[in-house]
Amino acid sequence: MNEYYIEHQKILLSVDCIIFGFEDYQLKVLIGHRNMDPGRGAWSLYGGFVRNDESLDEAADRTLFELTGLHHVYMRQVGAFGNVDRDPGARVVSVAYCALINVKDYDRSLLEKHNVQWVNIDELPEMFSDHQEMIAKARKLMQVKMKTQPVGFELLPPLFTLTQLQRLYEAVQGAELDKRNFRKRIKEMGSIEKTRLIDKTGSKRGAYLYRFNEKTYREEKFFRL
């Protein structure tokens, strides 16, 4: 393979993982301080270079597992970022991936191991290169998908209150939603089921817990919030 294309310039290829979580009614991103030059110490997404023996998706899966220890996580490609001067160290093209996880599934010991932390998406610090642009584009992708696909439930526990669900959508959209209209839409959807269980952590009266029924969703083939 090395005998071909030798007259062409070689460009490095990397992947960056934008890992979203939902905690304390906030949409959060897992970021940390960069531990290599150039840009050592700057806030950064977690990523790595694509190896010769793996595809883009395989590289993203490996990088995600290294950081979270989780398999079978919802993940989608956000896009490629290839401005000539995006990395002062070399000519690097990065393909960004967006992943959604339940914060409670994440092993907290990995925060210290990888020197990362959950940060509110609306309070991000200045970040290395174009990583803020990556996060903004990933959020827009989520905003579009969550209107017609049940991807938001990847960020919630199996049982959740309607308040949690509404706050999740508000956090992703960056805007308040009308409570009455939101709950009306929930009642119209057979794939979001009310259980007999009650969550009393917020008040003595408590609130009913709901769950997402994937089987019903697939039968309906419809989702819109």
Side-chain angles (χ1 to χ4, degrees):
M1 182 174 66
N2 292 335
E3 64 182 291
Y4 301 108
Y5 312 124
I6 59 175
E7 73 275 18
H8 296 287
Q9 176 185 349
K10 301 300 186 290
I11 296 176
L12 296 172
L13 181 63
S14 68
V15 293
D16 282 293
C17 289
I18 304 148
I19 303 172
F20 287 124
F22 183 64
E23 185 179 41
D24 300 327
Y25 294 154
Q26 297 176 352
L27 180 65
K28 296 186 176 182
V29 188
L30 198 58
I31 63 174
H33 291 289
R34 188 171 166 88
N35 60 4
M36 61 185 293
D37 293 320
R40 185 182 297 271
W43 286 102
S44 171
L45 293 169
Y46 192 85
F49 290 103
V50 180
R51 298 171 179 170
N52 288 335
D53 61 348
E54 61 185 2
S55 67
L56 280 171
D57 288 352
E58 288 170 343
D61 285 337
R62 170 179 56 79
T63 301
L64 181 69
F65 179 74
E66 288 174 358
L67 182 58
T68 67
L70 299 174
H71 284 298
H72 310 299
V73 172
Y74 176 91
M75 184 164 58
R76 294 293 183 274
Q77 191 177 116
V78 174
F81 295 77
N83 287 345
V84 174
D85 59 352
R86 64 172 302 274
D87 191 320
R91 181 75 170 95
V92 181
V93 173
S94 181
V95 179
Y97 281 79
C98 169
L100 310 181
I101 69 173
N102 184 343
V103 172
K104 292 184 178 179
D105 291 337
Y106 184 79
D107 186 345
R108 292 282 174 168
S109 66
L110 294 176
L111 293 175
E112 183 175 350
K113 177 181 178 180
H114 295 292
N115 192 27
V116 294
Q117 59 185 275
W118 291 105
V119 178
N120 184 344
I121 193 172
D122 295 318
E123 299 174 356
L124 289 173
E126 183 176 351
M127 299 187 67
F128 177 76
S129 185
D130 48 12
H131 289 190
Q132 280 179 301
E133 182 184 348
M134 290 180 179
I135 294 172
K137 189 171 183 179
R139 187 181 193 177
K140 288 182 179 179
L141 178 66
M142 280 186 60
Q143 290 171 346
V144 172
K145 285 188 174 295
M146 283 180 63
K147 290 180 179 179
T148 58
Q149 299 176 29
V151 298
F153 298 102
E154 303 287 345
L155 296 166
L156 292 171
L159 296 175
F160 51 86
T161 66
L162 291 186
T163 297
Q164 286 176 306
L165 184 60
Q166 181 173 340
R167 293 290 180 85
L168 169 62
Y169 274 79
E170 290 175 337
V172 173
Q173 298 296 332
E176 291 187 11
L177 301 175
D178 181 81
K179 181 178 179 179
R180 183 176 298 179
N181 289 338
F182 184 83
R183 298 202 172 196
K184 179 182 178 182
R185 293 295 298 130
I186 296 299
K187 291 180 180 180
E188 295 172 351
M189 300 177 65
S191 57
I192 301 179
E193 298 178 340
K194 182 179 181 180
T195 72
R196 295 182 179 181
L197 301 174
I198 296 178
D199 175 25
K200 293 188 176 181
T201 57
S203 66
K204 291 183 178 180
R205 182 181 178 183
Y208 278 102
L209 289 167
Y210 288 71
R211 64 187 169 206
F212 173 68
N213 189 319
E214 186 173 357
K215 181 176 182 294
T216 303
Y217 162 69
R218 296 191 181 282
E219 292 172 351
E220 291 177 340
K221 296 182 179 179
F222 175 80
F223 187 92
R224 185 174 295 277
L225 268 178

